Amino acid sequence: MRKPIVAITGSSGKTSTKEMIASILQTRWKTFKSIENGNDTWFTSQYKKQIKSFHKAVVLEYGMRKKGDIKRHCELIQPKIGVITNVGRAHIGHFKNGLVGIAAAKSELIAGMNSKGVLFLNKDDPHSKRLNLTPFQGKIKTVSIRNKADYSAQHIRYGSTGMTFNVRLDNEVHTFHIPCFGRCNVYNALFAIGVSHYLGCTLADIRSGFRKMEKPYGRLSVTKNHRKMVVINDSFNTKPELDSALDVLNHVGLARGRKIAVLGDIQDLGKHAKTIHLAQGRKLGKKKLDLLYTYGYHSKYLGIGARQSGMSSYQVKHFTKIAELKKTLAMQRKTGDTFLLKGSTNGHPVKLMHLAEWLISCQRVSNRSPKKSDDH
């Protein structure tokens, strides 16, 4: 078998999908993978130099901020297996024609990969229908939670350490567990199952790969202590779609505690910034949050939208200084609270990762209290 080269792009889920696929393939072959979230074309140019003959599989992220980026990735390293996780509004500010332009840019993977390779698509993602499949002559495989597909997840449930779900493979239903939370990660896992199954990996390989996967930092990582607080650290970035993070908040939060969302600006929206923040805020207002704290500039429209759809003014507060936000959280936090922190690290002062780490460290300090001998 020739060395499989897998390339992953999409508006979200790239890094997690890459880690899952690489971890599974590593159970069989020496596998080269993109480092952390190093996914721009400069990184790909470096990877081209670093991939050696002893690497028997390659798994890469192809990031995109503008037209032509993915084309350049493919010129540097042409994949035979392509994954497009979804087509969303991330970086929409860089495209004059909005989602049409984003779909066209993602379609560069289809045009640039081996035309007789294998392409994996999300059948549940409405905007993936905008992708241009015309130049592709290979196989198309699909994943889904809601529709019939080649790889479909059923009976999805939240557990204490992650997600469990069933998938039919080779006419038999099998159960899988991933050590991360959210239905979004079930989609990522379906891509990993699909790619590895296509490449001949066994059920044992797939399950072992999921167990050993490196979990990307600041992406729906959950730290909890049932006597104290739950912190959902999704601080690596804020995409225009907030549903996955809110779904995790709803499911992992302590039953009798408060649900508190701390949200930063959604980046790279350009002229769409106010409209998208308001629309997402209106969704937030219907999610039964106890408190909504926003930090940055455009994030104030999240709060305005939330108030428009039902949250009261005392439940919503906007901050422009991180010290004031931290002070408020220090005074407000209570036993049983669940915090969702979602921010951005992309060259902007909206950086909530340190706030998430602070909340987690406060929790750990309290966990070491000698007053409760059964606290772990």
Side-chain angles (χ1 to χ4, degrees):
M1 182 186 71
R2 294 186 64 185
K3 181 184 301 184
I5 298 177
V6 184
I8 304 140
T9 193
S11 296
S12 61
K14 294 184 293 298
T15 303
S16 296
T17 302
K18 178 257 299 182
E19 292 294 347
M20 290 178 181
I21 294 173
S23 185
I24 295 169
L25 299 190
Q26 184 68 39
T27 64
R28 306 198 81 184
W29 305 299
K30 182 68 175 177
T31 301
F32 182 95
K33 66 177 182 178
S34 301
I35 183 170
E36 297 178 346
N37 65 308
N39 63 18
D40 64 24
T41 54
W42 181 86
F43 276 101
T44 302
S45 71
Q46 301 308 300
Y47 299 148
K48 185 174 182 178
K49 303 172 189 174
Q50 296 164 8
I51 297 169
K52 304 300 182 184
S53 59
F54 59 78
H55 291 116
K56 302 304 180 185
V58 177
V59 186
L60 303 171
E61 268 184 73
Y62 283 179
M64 181 277 296
R65 289 176 68 88
K66 64 183 186 302
K67 178 182 176 182
D69 283 351
I70 296 177
K71 179 182 178 182
R72 178 58 180 155
H73 283 296
C74 292
E75 289 170 348
L76 288 163
I77 303 176
Q78 185 186 47
K80 190 167 185 180
I81 299 173
V83 175
I84 302 179
T85 59
N86 46 48
V87 177
R89 291 179 171 82
H91 309 307
I92 197 170
H94 296 283
F95 295 87
K96 292 181 180 179
N97 51 349
L99 279 166
V100 173
I102 292 174
K106 300 294 183 192
S107 297
E108 291 172 12
L109 178 67
I110 304 169
M113 66 181 286
N114 186 309
S115 64
K116 295 185 179 179
V118 185
L119 177 66
F120 288 81
L121 300 176
N122 184 340
K123 203 167 184 180
D124 294 347
D125 177 46
H127 301 305
S128 287
K129 295 179 175 68
R130 300 172 183 263
L131 294 167
N132 181 12
L133 301 173
T134 304
F136 193 66
Q137 301 170 17
K139 297 178 182 178
I140 295 177
K141 300 287 187 178
T142 54
V143 308
S144 174
I145 291 176
R146 300 192 301 269
N147 296 291
K148 186 177 180 180
D150 296 293
Y151 301 94
S152 296
Q154 299 172 335
H155 192 36
I156 300 168
R157 53 267 194 206
Y158 277 78
S160 60
T161 60
M163 309 296 291
T164 303
F165 54 95
N166 297 345
V167 179
R168 181 177 290 276
L169 291 177
D170 303 322
N171 296 316
E172 291 187 16
V173 176
H174 302 279
T175 301
F176 296 94
H177 178 81
I178 53 175
C180 36
F181 293 90
R183 290 170 75 88
C184 57
N185 276 312
V186 175
Y187 281 108
N188 300 337
L190 285 171
F191 283 118
I193 291 168
V195 169
S196 56
H197 179 252
Y198 172 77
L199 290 173
C201 294
T202 66
L203 290 170
D205 294 334
I206 296 171
R207 290 182 175 129
S208 176
F210 283 147
R211 282 196 303 271
K212 297 175 182 177
M213 69 169 284
E214 291 185 29
K215 291 178 280 186
Y217 173 81
R219 293 168 174 88
L220 290 175
S221 56
V222 176
T223 304
K224 54 183 169 180
N225 176 288
H226 292 290
R227 290 187 177 275
K228 305 300 178 186
M229 299 183 301
V230 178
V231 179
I232 304 167
N233 182 2
D234 201 30
S235 63
F236 183 79
N237 59 38
T238 303
K239 298 288 176 64
E241 295 79 23
L242 302 175
D243 301 273
S244 295
L246 293 169
D247 183 58
V248 175
L249 175 62
N250 185 53
H251 280 89
V252 307
L254 302 177
R256 297 182 181 179
R258 299 181 301 173
K259 293 180 173 60
I260 302 168
V262 184
L263 306 176
D265 286 351
I266 304 169
Q267 298 294 307
D268 290 341
L269 300 183
K271 66 181 181 180
H272 307 282
K274 181 177 178 180
T275 302
I276 289 177
H277 279 87
L278 279 171
Q280 290 300 316
R282 293 186 191 105
K283 283 188 179 182
L284 286 168
K286 300 174 183 177
K287 295 294 183 178
K288 297 181 180 180
L289 294 171
D290 292 285
L291 294 170
L292 171 62
Y293 295 145
T294 58
Y295 169 66
Y297 179 71
H298 286 110
S299 61
K300 65 187 175 186
Y301 295 109
L302 291 171
I304 293 170
R307 290 196 297 271
Q308 289 175 354
S309 63
M311 291 191 78
S312 63
S313 57
Y314 76 84
Q315 291 177 292
V316 179
K317 189 170 183 180
H318 180 68
F319 297 84
T320 57
K321 294 181 180 179
I322 199 74
E324 292 181 3
L325 172 55
K326 185 176 180 179
K327 183 179 178 181
T328 298
L329 289 174
M331 291 189 298
Q332 288 287 336
R333 67 174 188 249
K334 298 178 181 178
T335 297
D337 285 348
T338 300
F339 295 89
L340 166 66
L341 289 97
K342 194 164 178 61
S344 177
T345 61
N346 297 327
H348 192 276
V350 181
K351 294 185 178 181
L352 298 182
M353 70 163 82
H354 299 302
L355 202 60
E357 291 168 355
W358 169 73
L359 271 173
I360 292 167
S361 68
C362 291
Q363 180 182 345
R364 285 173 179 157
V365 169
S366 62
N367 290 350
R368 290 196 292 268
S369 170
K371 296 180 182 178
K372 297 288 184 179
S373 60
D374 58 345
D375 267 1
H376 300 291

